[in-house]
Amino acid sequence: MNINEVKQILEQYEVSVKKQFGQNFLMDNNVIAKICDISNITKETNVIEIGPGLGFLTNELKQRANKVLCYEIDHEMVKVITSRFENNHNVIVKYQDFLKANIDKDIDTLFNDDKEVIVVANLPYYITTAILIKILEESKKIKQLTVMMQLEVADRICGKPSTKDYNSLSVLMQYYTECKLAIKVGAKSFYPEPNVDSAVVLVKYKKEITNPALNEEYFKKFNRIVFAQRRKTLANNLKSGFGYSKELIEEILTKNNISLTIRTEALTVDEIVKLSNEFYLAQK
Ligand code: SAM
């Protein structure tokens, strides 16, 4: 695929590129093939694609997978892919905002089999974080994600403690999954070119969480609050976010050999889970 071919498809279907929907079409066939290779897609795999756009990635997915379920918010793009894939019965197109989708219900009704379900997508960058959090929090059926995103967000997701990239999203992702920055992709691979670099992250769900949270809802809230103000210490975030007393905070941090002046970003995922468990038990 090259720029002229993309423009030709846009003209042929009389559709325009919409910036407000984060439309940057991936036209680099090598990157498309690599995305599918690292996803290990076989005829035993059902794929969810968020934002198929003009269908370049979809075209490769449909050849390798059992079924592909595409969610697309832009009715013009729906028109294009419905027409391009009208003879492909393994491509299901849903004209819907993915953020409003009932993912697991759709998996049951639209795939209607026991095959493994994975997500493969070149995400709309303006809602990357919201999409990832939705999948993590709502779906029990998805086992793996291969997702293109802004390089900066990829660095955050894979971020390690005590680095500038490490935040609550890193902790949430690394609590449930193993994340690996798999491919860096330059702006020239897209039309129109985005003004940021991109990366494909391979996210595999852990089979078992070794140190689980006692209460996942509390852990998620705790994780948000302890990172709420990066310049503040962990203790101050706990005080302002939860209103816990100085005595309780000192008691629990000291018991866990954690300095009272530490910043949250210095803590590992396991340490954050352990602390959240201690505070959860103390406030019950
Ligand atoms: N997959 C195509 C490709 O790789 O060339 C297009 C990727 S483009 C970065 C993002 C796509 O997501 C666009 O087609 C856009 O219309 C769609 N999109 C944006 N917001 C969406 C949402 N909330 N739900 C579903 N699709 C959305």
Side-chain angles (χ1 to χ4, degrees):
M1 213 41 78
N2 60 41
I3 292 187
N4 290 334
E5 287 170 307
V6 180
K7 285 185 177 166
Q8 203 183 324
I9 294 179
L10 289 167
E11 259 173 46
Q12 180 192 340
Y13 289 95
E14 298 177 332
V15 296
S16 53
V17 177
K18 297 189 194 66
K19 263 195 174 170
Q20 74 269 29
F21 289 142
Q23 291 178 353
N24 300 96
F25 304 111
L26 177 62
M27 52 179 187
D28 185 328
N29 289 334
N30 288 330
V31 176
I32 290 174
K34 268 194 213 160
I35 289 174
C36 294
D37 289 347
I38 61 168
S39 307
N40 253 326
I41 304 164
T42 70
K43 289 289 168 193
E44 293 305 307
T45 320
N46 286 325
V47 177
I48 292 181
E49 186 187 9
I50 301 147
L54 297 171
F56 304 145
L57 178 59
T58 323
N59 192 42
E60 188 68 28
L61 294 171
K62 75 165 175 34
Q63 293 176 48
R64 302 193 187 205
N66 177 52
K67 288 181 191 156
V68 186
L69 165 60
C70 306
Y71 291 93
E72 176 56 65
I73 199 171
D74 178 0
H75 69 94
E76 288 200 326
M77 294 299 142
V78 170
K79 186 176 82 181
V80 177
I81 54 162
T82 309
S83 161
R84 286 190 72 195
F85 301 126
E86 65 181 345
N87 295 323
N88 294 106
H89 300 297
N90 69 339
V91 179
I92 308 157
V93 181
K94 264 204 116 181
Y95 172 32
Q96 187 177 29
D97 177 350
F98 178 73
L99 294 179
K100 298 198 175 126
N102 188 335
I103 313 172
D104 283 359
K105 188 164 168 250
D106 287 346
I107 289 174
D108 281 342
T109 53
L110 298 172
F111 288 143
N112 192 23
D113 58 34
D114 289 332
K115 301 202 187 308
E116 186 181 63
V117 180
I118 66 172
V119 168
V120 182
N122 172 19
L123 294 175
Y125 293 177
Y126 73 109
I127 46 169
T128 298
T129 306
I131 289 176
L132 294 174
I133 290 176
K134 178 179 173 76
I135 295 173
L136 281 188
E137 296 195 343
E138 291 181 19
S139 176
K140 303 225 174 317
K141 298 185 183 267
I142 292 169
K143 295 286 175 272
Q144 178 185 296
L145 324 172
T146 313
V147 270
M148 174 93 76
M149 62 189 73
Q150 197 176 327
L151 179 59
E152 204 184 305
V153 182
D155 282 335
R156 246 182 270 149
I157 286 173
C158 306
K160 294 287 166 248
S162 299
T163 65
K164 72 173 176 27
D165 298 315
Y166 187 66
N167 68 4
S168 60
L169 181 62
S170 330
V171 173
L172 189 67
M173 293 293 293
Q174 292 171 33
Y175 174 72
Y176 289 107
T177 70
E178 314 271 358
C179 306
K180 189 175 150 220
L181 197 157
I183 315 168
K184 284 192 184 176
V185 186
K188 291 207 175 335
S189 293
F190 302 87
Y191 177 82
E193 289 184 21
N195 44 20
V196 290
D197 283 330
S198 304
V200 177
V201 179
L202 181 61
V203 180
K204 291 188 180 191
Y205 279 67
K206 291 178 183 166
K207 288 210 170 65
E208 197 185 344
I209 296 173
T210 27
N211 296 309
L214 291 174
N215 179 306
E216 288 204 352
E217 288 318 306
Y218 178 84
F219 161 65
K220 285 177 203 159
K221 183 174 173 196
F222 186 89
N223 180 39
R224 274 195 303 274
I225 283 179
V226 291
F227 280 102
Q229 301 193 52
R230 274 187 95 84
R231 285 159 184 272
K232 283 192 174 180
T233 60
L234 166 68
N236 281 337
N237 272 317
L238 283 168
K239 206 180 329 164
S240 59
F242 280 111
Y244 290 149
S245 71
K246 193 165 170 261
E247 291 71 32
L248 177 70
I249 294 169
E250 285 187 9
E251 183 196 318
I252 294 181
L253 295 196
T254 310
K255 185 175 147 202
N256 286 279
N257 289 325
I258 290 176
S259 155
L260 301 178
T261 57
I262 205 167
R263 287 185 205 283
T264 310
E265 68 210 48
L267 297 176
T268 64
V269 175
D270 279 350
E271 285 172 326
I272 292 172
V273 175
K274 185 154 189 285
L275 273 183
S276 97
N277 285 344
E278 298 265 352
F279 279 95
Y280 173 70
L281 288 175
Q283 53 100 59
K284 252 178 79 172

